Short mmCIF file of all heavy atoms in Angstrom, two decimals:
data_model
loop_
_atom_site.label_atom_id
_atom_site.label_comp_id
_atom_site.label_asym_id
_atom_site.label_seq_id
_atom_site.Cartn_x
_atom_site.Cartn_y
_atom_site.Cartn_z
N PRO A 145 43.98 22.86 31.72
CA PRO A 145 43.38 24.24 31.63
C PRO A 145 41.93 24.11 31.18
O PRO A 145 41.61 23.42 30.20
CB PRO A 145 44.27 24.84 30.51
CG PRO A 145 45.56 24.08 30.56
CD PRO A 145 45.18 22.64 30.91
N VAL A 146 41.03 24.72 31.94
CA VAL A 146 39.60 24.83 31.63
C VAL A 146 39.24 26.28 31.81
O VAL A 146 39.57 26.91 32.78
CB VAL A 146 38.79 23.92 32.56
CG1 VAL A 146 37.27 24.08 32.20
CG2 VAL A 146 39.25 22.43 32.45
N TRP A 147 38.46 26.86 30.82
CA TRP A 147 37.95 28.19 30.96
C TRP A 147 36.60 28.32 30.21
O TRP A 147 36.23 27.42 29.42
CB TRP A 147 38.95 29.14 30.43
CG TRP A 147 39.22 29.11 28.98
CD1 TRP A 147 38.71 29.97 27.97
CD2 TRP A 147 40.06 28.20 28.23
NE1 TRP A 147 39.20 29.62 26.74
CE2 TRP A 147 40.05 28.55 26.84
CE3 TRP A 147 40.89 27.14 28.66
CZ2 TRP A 147 40.73 27.80 25.88
CZ3 TRP A 147 41.59 26.41 27.65
CH2 TRP A 147 41.53 26.80 26.36
N GLU A 148 35.90 29.38 30.61
CA GLU A 148 34.60 29.60 29.92
C GLU A 148 34.54 30.96 29.25
O GLU A 148 35.18 31.93 29.74
CB GLU A 148 33.51 29.50 30.99
CG GLU A 148 33.33 28.15 31.56
CD GLU A 148 32.13 27.95 32.49
OE1 GLU A 148 31.42 29.00 32.63
OE2 GLU A 148 31.83 26.87 32.95
N GLU A 149 33.85 30.99 28.16
CA GLU A 149 33.51 32.26 27.47
C GLU A 149 31.99 32.25 27.20
O GLU A 149 31.57 31.52 26.29
CB GLU A 149 34.31 32.41 26.10
CG GLU A 149 35.87 32.37 26.36
CD GLU A 149 36.59 32.47 25.05
OE1 GLU A 149 35.98 32.56 23.98
OE2 GLU A 149 37.89 32.27 25.04
N GLY A 150 31.29 32.91 28.09
CA GLY A 150 29.85 32.90 27.97
C GLY A 150 29.31 31.53 28.30
O GLY A 150 29.67 30.94 29.39
N ASP A 151 28.54 30.95 27.32
CA ASP A 151 27.97 29.65 27.58
C ASP A 151 28.80 28.52 26.91
O ASP A 151 28.41 27.40 26.69
CB ASP A 151 26.54 29.55 26.96
CG ASP A 151 25.50 30.17 27.87
OD1 ASP A 151 25.83 30.45 29.04
OD2 ASP A 151 24.39 30.38 27.41
N ILE A 152 30.06 28.82 26.58
CA ILE A 152 31.01 27.89 26.01
C ILE A 152 32.12 27.55 26.97
O ILE A 152 32.75 28.45 27.61
CB ILE A 152 31.65 28.47 24.74
CG1 ILE A 152 30.53 29.02 23.78
CG2 ILE A 152 32.54 27.43 24.07
CD1 ILE A 152 31.10 29.72 22.60
N GLN A 153 32.32 26.24 27.18
CA GLN A 153 33.44 25.79 28.04
C GLN A 153 34.47 25.18 27.16
O GLN A 153 34.24 24.33 26.38
CB GLN A 153 33.00 24.81 29.12
CG GLN A 153 34.16 24.41 30.04
CD GLN A 153 33.78 23.14 30.89
OE1 GLN A 153 33.80 22.01 30.43
NE2 GLN A 153 33.37 23.49 32.13
N TYR A 154 35.75 25.63 27.36
CA TYR A 154 36.89 25.03 26.63
C TYR A 154 37.80 24.25 27.61
O TYR A 154 37.93 24.66 28.80
CB TYR A 154 37.72 26.19 26.02
CG TYR A 154 37.00 26.95 24.91
CD1 TYR A 154 36.25 28.06 25.19
CD2 TYR A 154 37.17 26.56 23.63
CE1 TYR A 154 35.64 28.82 24.28
CE2 TYR A 154 36.51 27.32 22.58
CZ TYR A 154 35.75 28.44 22.95
OH TYR A 154 35.16 29.12 21.96
N LYS A 155 38.39 23.21 27.09
CA LYS A 155 39.34 22.40 27.89
C LYS A 155 40.48 22.03 26.97
O LYS A 155 40.27 21.42 25.87
CB LYS A 155 38.72 21.15 28.51
CG LYS A 155 39.73 20.36 29.38
CD LYS A 155 39.04 19.02 29.86
CE LYS A 155 37.98 19.32 30.85
NZ LYS A 155 37.48 18.06 31.51
N LEU A 156 41.68 22.47 27.32
CA LEU A 156 42.87 22.14 26.46
C LEU A 156 43.53 20.89 27.10
O LEU A 156 44.34 21.08 27.97
CB LEU A 156 43.86 23.33 26.44
CG LEU A 156 45.12 23.17 25.59
CD1 LEU A 156 44.80 22.86 24.19
CD2 LEU A 156 46.05 24.34 25.69
N ILE A 157 43.06 19.70 26.61
CA ILE A 157 43.60 18.50 27.18
C ILE A 157 45.09 18.27 26.94
O ILE A 157 45.78 17.82 27.84
CB ILE A 157 42.75 17.33 26.61
CG1 ILE A 157 41.23 17.54 26.90
CG2 ILE A 157 43.19 15.92 27.16
CD1 ILE A 157 40.32 16.64 26.19
N ALA A 158 45.51 18.57 25.77
CA ALA A 158 46.91 18.40 25.42
C ALA A 158 47.31 19.46 24.34
O ALA A 158 46.56 19.92 23.63
CB ALA A 158 47.27 16.98 24.97
N GLY A 159 48.61 19.82 24.38
CA GLY A 159 49.17 20.74 23.34
C GLY A 159 49.03 22.18 23.74
O GLY A 159 48.92 22.62 24.94
N GLU A 160 48.99 22.98 22.69
CA GLU A 160 48.90 24.47 22.84
C GLU A 160 47.98 25.13 21.91
O GLU A 160 47.86 24.68 20.76
CB GLU A 160 50.31 25.14 22.71
CG GLU A 160 51.03 24.83 21.42
CD GLU A 160 52.36 25.37 21.31
OE1 GLU A 160 52.52 26.59 21.10
OE2 GLU A 160 53.32 24.55 21.54
N ALA A 161 47.22 26.02 22.45
CA ALA A 161 46.19 26.76 21.57
C ALA A 161 45.61 27.88 22.47
O ALA A 161 45.68 27.77 23.67
CB ALA A 161 45.12 25.89 21.06
N PHE A 162 45.01 28.87 21.86
CA PHE A 162 44.39 30.04 22.57
C PHE A 162 45.32 30.67 23.48
O PHE A 162 44.89 31.25 24.57
CB PHE A 162 43.05 29.46 23.37
CG PHE A 162 42.16 28.69 22.61
CD1 PHE A 162 42.15 27.33 22.64
CD2 PHE A 162 41.27 29.32 21.68
CE1 PHE A 162 41.22 26.55 21.97
CE2 PHE A 162 40.37 28.56 20.91
CZ PHE A 162 40.32 27.17 21.02
N GLY A 163 46.60 30.73 23.27
CA GLY A 163 47.61 31.32 24.16
C GLY A 163 47.78 30.56 25.43
O GLY A 163 48.36 31.07 26.32
N ARG A 164 47.33 29.28 25.50
CA ARG A 164 47.45 28.45 26.67
C ARG A 164 48.23 27.16 26.39
O ARG A 164 48.30 26.78 25.18
CB ARG A 164 46.14 28.01 27.26
CG ARG A 164 45.33 29.23 27.80
CD ARG A 164 43.93 28.76 28.17
NE ARG A 164 43.24 29.74 29.04
CZ ARG A 164 42.53 30.74 28.63
NH1 ARG A 164 42.48 30.96 27.31
NH2 ARG A 164 41.88 31.56 29.45
N THR A 165 48.78 26.55 27.32
CA THR A 165 49.57 25.30 27.13
C THR A 165 49.13 24.26 28.19
O THR A 165 49.18 24.54 29.41
CB THR A 165 51.02 25.51 27.25
OG1 THR A 165 51.45 26.49 26.31
CG2 THR A 165 51.87 24.29 27.01
N SER A 166 48.74 23.11 27.69
CA SER A 166 48.50 21.96 28.63
C SER A 166 49.75 21.48 29.28
O SER A 166 50.85 21.49 28.76
CB SER A 166 47.76 20.87 27.88
OG SER A 166 47.78 19.68 28.62
N PRO A 167 49.67 20.90 30.57
CA PRO A 167 50.93 20.39 31.23
C PRO A 167 51.30 19.00 30.59
O PRO A 167 52.35 18.46 31.03
CB PRO A 167 50.52 20.27 32.62
CG PRO A 167 49.00 20.13 32.66
CD PRO A 167 48.52 20.94 31.44
N VAL A 168 50.51 18.49 29.73
CA VAL A 168 50.85 17.14 29.15
C VAL A 168 52.16 17.34 28.30
O VAL A 168 52.19 18.22 27.44
CB VAL A 168 49.75 16.62 28.26
CG1 VAL A 168 50.21 15.33 27.54
CG2 VAL A 168 48.46 16.33 29.04
N PRO A 169 53.24 16.59 28.62
CA PRO A 169 54.53 16.86 28.01
C PRO A 169 54.63 16.32 26.51
O PRO A 169 55.32 15.36 26.28
CB PRO A 169 55.54 16.21 28.96
CG PRO A 169 54.77 15.01 29.50
CD PRO A 169 53.31 15.58 29.62
N VAL A 170 53.93 16.94 25.64
CA VAL A 170 53.91 16.54 24.23
C VAL A 170 55.29 16.82 23.56
O VAL A 170 56.05 17.59 24.05
CB VAL A 170 52.79 17.14 23.42
CG1 VAL A 170 51.44 16.79 24.07
CG2 VAL A 170 52.97 18.62 23.33
N HIS A 171 55.53 16.14 22.41
CA HIS A 171 56.82 16.26 21.84
C HIS A 171 56.76 16.96 20.46
O HIS A 171 57.78 17.07 19.72
CB HIS A 171 57.37 14.89 21.60
CG HIS A 171 57.53 14.07 22.79
ND1 HIS A 171 58.46 14.35 23.80
CD2 HIS A 171 56.82 12.95 23.27
CE1 HIS A 171 58.26 13.50 24.75
NE2 HIS A 171 57.38 12.67 24.50
N SER A 172 55.65 17.53 20.05
CA SER A 172 55.49 18.31 18.82
C SER A 172 54.33 19.25 18.98
O SER A 172 53.59 19.18 19.97
CB SER A 172 55.30 17.34 17.55
OG SER A 172 54.12 16.58 17.71
N LYS A 173 54.21 20.13 18.03
CA LYS A 173 53.17 21.04 18.07
C LYS A 173 51.82 20.63 17.73
O LYS A 173 51.56 20.21 16.54
CB LYS A 173 53.48 22.34 17.17
CG LYS A 173 52.71 23.56 17.45
CD LYS A 173 53.28 24.79 16.78
CE LYS A 173 52.40 25.97 17.16
NZ LYS A 173 52.81 27.21 16.45
N LEU A 174 50.89 20.45 18.71
CA LEU A 174 49.58 19.80 18.51
C LEU A 174 48.54 20.41 19.43
O LEU A 174 48.91 21.18 20.31
CB LEU A 174 49.73 18.30 18.71
CG LEU A 174 50.18 17.76 20.08
CD1 LEU A 174 48.99 17.77 21.06
CD2 LEU A 174 50.84 16.42 19.95
N PHE A 175 47.31 20.01 19.24
CA PHE A 175 46.26 20.36 20.12
C PHE A 175 45.25 19.30 20.15
O PHE A 175 44.96 18.59 19.17
CB PHE A 175 45.58 21.68 19.73
CG PHE A 175 45.12 21.76 18.25
CD1 PHE A 175 43.89 21.19 17.85
CD2 PHE A 175 45.96 22.33 17.31
CE1 PHE A 175 43.50 21.30 16.54
CE2 PHE A 175 45.53 22.32 15.95
CZ PHE A 175 44.31 21.84 15.56
#
Side-chain angles (χ1 to χ4, degrees):
V146 179
W147 67 99
E148 294 187 358
E149 296 179 8
D151 283 346
I152 308 172
Q153 182 192 81
Y154 295 89
K155 181 183 293 187
L156 182 59
I157 300 168
E160 56 183 280
F162 308 103
R164 293 172 166 85
T165 302
S166 165
V168 177
V170 301
H171 302 291
S172 61
K173 196 170 181 183
L174 60 85
F175 51 84

